[in-house]
Structures are given as C-alpha cells and as structure tokens.
Amino acid sequence: VPFRIPKGTYATSRKFTLTDDFSIIADRGARIKYIGDPVIDTLIDIDFTGGAPGGFAHGGDLRNLVIDGNGKATDGITLRGVVSGVFKAIRTTNVTRAGMRLAWAQLCLFESYECSNNIEVFTTTPVNGILVDTASSSANTFINPTIEHVSGQGLLGLSLINSLVLNGTIEGN
C-alpha cells in the first residue's frame, strides 16, 4: 500500500533518507521544503547501498512531489544503488548544485521530471538539472523532462551509460 502525502507544504529541518523499497504517492501540490539552518547535501536521499547484496536494491516509487531545498540543500534528490525505481512528476527547485543526482541508478524510469525557472521561479538557481557524477548509472529512461534556466548543464552525465531521453526539454546555460 503506498504511503500518501496530501496536498500542502511540509517543512522539515532534516533530510529524508530511504534505505529500502518504498512507494510514496503525493497529491498534486504536495511540497517538501527544507527550513533547517545548516546546509545539507541532499533533501531526499534514496540510498539502497547499505543493506542489499552487491550494494543495490530494486524498487522505489515516488510520484507527484515538489522538493524545495530553500537555497540550503546542495541537491534535491539523490539516488544510490537504486535499480528499477519509478519517479514520476517530480519537481526540484531552489538547490545549489543539482535538482537530481544519480550516484548510481539503473533501469529507472523518470517521467515528467521538472527543474525549470519557467514552471516555478527559482530563488536559488541550481547548476545542473540532473547530475550523474560518481559511479556509473545505466539503462535509465527519461520521458518528457523539463530542465530550463539552470546555470550550468541541463543534464551532466559524467558516467551515464545506455540511457534514453524521450521528448522534453533539457537546456543549460
């Protein structure tokens, strides 16, 4: 049974860490907003590397959520060791480095991901919409992403292998 998040803004002073298969379905208009004082590395950290054999696990379903770093989160959402995750209608905003960071993701579906000053005015502009900067991420599918007006690259894939982008807009500066 999916965990449901009703429409509204939910303030947090801590990052969220998910370490095993999950299903979170938010109502449209649900927002997680960081309000803490220290800068954090990521607001939602999906890290399946700890408990699974081989350092990865299958699953993860996150839908219809706005992730707002409020200028104090380096990344909006980070994936580590995630295989076959589904991420639909996720928007990241007001982070300093990347809306979404893939530190190791494989066979994941990202549909209608948004990181755009045209959709929601940034108070803090991210450098990258999507950053793949550490271990190889492969065989991921991005459908209809909207990444616009970031200060660096829309999609910076330093180690992105055999992945597919269908439709959408990915622009950098």
Side-chain angles (χ1 to χ4, degrees):
V1 175
F3 179 79
R4 303 235 10 103
I5 300 176
K7 180 179 178 179
T9 299
Y10 299 90
T12 182
S13 59
R14 296 170 38 166
K15 75 176 179 179
F16 291 93
T17 301
L18 303 166
T19 58
D20 203 353
D21 188 15
F22 63 90
S23 181
I24 300 172
I25 311 296
D27 292 340
R28 295 264 182 209
R31 173 185 295 263
I32 303 292
K33 184 173 185 173
Y34 181 67
I35 60 163
D37 282 329
V39 171
I40 57 174
D41 59 346
T42 189
L43 184 49
I44 297 182
D45 189 12
I46 302 171
D47 188 351
F48 289 179
T49 61
F56 62 88
H58 290 78
D61 186 355
L62 181 62
R63 300 174 191 229
N64 306 323
L65 188 62
V66 178
I67 301 165
D68 186 344
N70 199 25
K72 294 184 179 180
T74 302
D75 301 321
I77 183 170
T78 298
L79 280 69
R80 293 182 184 91
V82 179
V83 178
S84 302
V86 175
F87 303 89
K88 291 186 177 184
I90 305 299
R91 179 185 310 155
T92 55
T93 190
N94 303 322
V95 296
T96 58
R97 181 173 62 177
M100 181 187 310
R101 179 174 173 243
L102 305 183
W104 194 86
Q106 187 175 38
L107 295 167
C108 290
L109 172 64
F110 303 95
E111 187 174 332
S112 300
Y113 167 71
E114 299 172 337
C115 184
S116 172
N117 196 49
N118 287 339
I119 295 170
E120 178 174 335
V121 176
F122 296 140
T123 57
T124 303
T125 302
V127 176
N128 305 107
I130 299 172
L131 173 63
V132 186
D133 68 340
T134 55
S136 295
S137 289
S138 61
N140 295 298
T141 303
F142 302 88
I143 299 173
N144 296 320
T146 304
I147 301 170
E148 302 166 311
H149 303 160
V150 295
S151 65
Q153 302 296 317
L155 170 61
L156 181 56
L158 300 177
S159 188
L160 184 61
I161 302 165
N162 296 328
S163 293
L164 177 66
V165 177
L166 295 171
N167 300 321
T169 303
I170 297 179
E171 297 177 352
N173 194 6

